[in-house]
């Protein structure tokens, strides 16, 4: 049985922002990933740049959207601290013959972690791929959104590769 309490609930069981004012700023890094399953034909068209769009190339547009999404995390997730990211990067690479793997790495020197920014960045990039490709097929799925690792703060985390 879990004995921990939720961090965003006060003694009166009301939502509250976590007070991080007394924490020492440290360098914090988080990486999150997800898969966008497009199917072999659609993936090959995306990779070949055969997807005309006024927004730009699918992969480049998704990278920009993911970084923008990570920067807006506090506007999307209630009680999430607004962070001035030191760095944020998105990589999008093939993951088998029918999917793309989206990885977001977020970095901050601060009093709270950047897990939510990394998860948001990866997800927004994946949603952008879906949005730009849906005219060709709605049989697209976004799978396995998860934190891969985080460092800095009280405790580091690393997910084993096969999970």
């Amino acid at each position: 049985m879990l004995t921990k309490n939720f961090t965003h609930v006060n003694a009166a069981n009301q939502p509250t922002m976590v007070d991080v004012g007394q924490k020492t700023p440290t360098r914090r890094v988080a990486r999150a990933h997800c898969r966008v399953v497009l199917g072999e034909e659609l993936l090959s068209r995306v990779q070949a740049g055969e997807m005309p769009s006024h927004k730009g190339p699918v992969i480049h547009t998704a990278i920009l959207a993911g970084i923008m999404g990570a920067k807006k995390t506090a506007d999307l997730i209630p009680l999430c601290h607004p962070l001035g990211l030191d760095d944020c990067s998105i990589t999008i690479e093939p993951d088998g013959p029918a999917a793309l793997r989206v990885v977001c790495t977020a970095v901050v020197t601060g009093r709270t972690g950047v897990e939510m920014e990394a998860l948001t960045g990866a997800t927004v990039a994946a949603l952008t791929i879906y949005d730009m490709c849906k005219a060709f097929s709605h049989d697209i799925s976004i799978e396995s959104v998860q934190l891969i690792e985080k460092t800095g703060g009280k405790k580091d985390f690393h997910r084993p590769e096969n999970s």
Side-chain angles (χ1 to χ4, degrees), residues 12 23 28 54-55 73 80 88 96 99 104 133 142-144:
K23 291 184 175 183
R28 295 157 185 265
H54 294 294
K55 294 180 185 181
T73 299
C80 197
C88 183
C104 178
C133 294
I142 298 170
E143 303 175 346
S144 303

Side-chain angles (χ1 to χ4, degrees), residues 8-161:
H8 289 90
V9 177
N10 65 18
N13 206 29
Q14 299 296 314
T16 188
M17 188 174 229
V18 174
D19 182 356
V20 297
Q22 299 302 313
K23 291 184 175 183
T24 302
T26 59
R27 180 175 171 83
R28 295 157 185 265
V29 179
R31 283 190 323 127
H33 73 168
C34 63
R35 281 183 94 225
V36 183
V37 181
L38 298 166
E40 289 184 38
E41 181 181 344
L42 188 51
L43 176 60
S44 67
R45 292 182 73 182
V46 168
Q47 289 177 301
E50 296 174 8
M51 309 283 290
S53 167
H54 294 294
K55 294 180 185 181
V58 173
I59 301 298
H60 292 157
T61 304
I63 289 169
L64 291 172
I67 292 168
M68 291 169 64
K71 291 168 63 174
K72 291 289 198 177
T73 299
D75 294 336
L76 301 170
I77 309 296
L79 304 176
C80 197
H81 289 86
L83 300 178
L85 296 176
D86 295 339
D87 190 20
C88 183
S89 64
I90 305 279
T91 60
I92 301 173
E93 297 177 343
D95 188 12
L100 293 168
R101 183 174 192 243
V102 179
V103 178
C104 178
T105 303
V107 182
V108 72
T109 302
R111 293 179 166 97
T112 189
V114 288
E115 300 96 292
M116 295 309 301
E117 287 72 14
L119 288 160
T120 301
T123 304
V124 169
L127 288 168
T128 301
I129 294 167
Y130 184 100
D131 180 54
M132 294 181 74
C133 294
K134 71 180 187 261
F136 299 92
S137 173
H138 282 90
D139 191 20
I140 301 168
S141 63
I142 298 170
E143 303 175 346
S144 303
V145 178
Q146 56 188 245
L147 182 67
I148 303 168
E149 66 182 337
K150 77 159 205 87
T151 59
K154 273 194 248 181
K155 183 169 47 170
D156 290 349
F157 170 82
H158 180 77
R159 182 178 304 280
E161 285 295 317

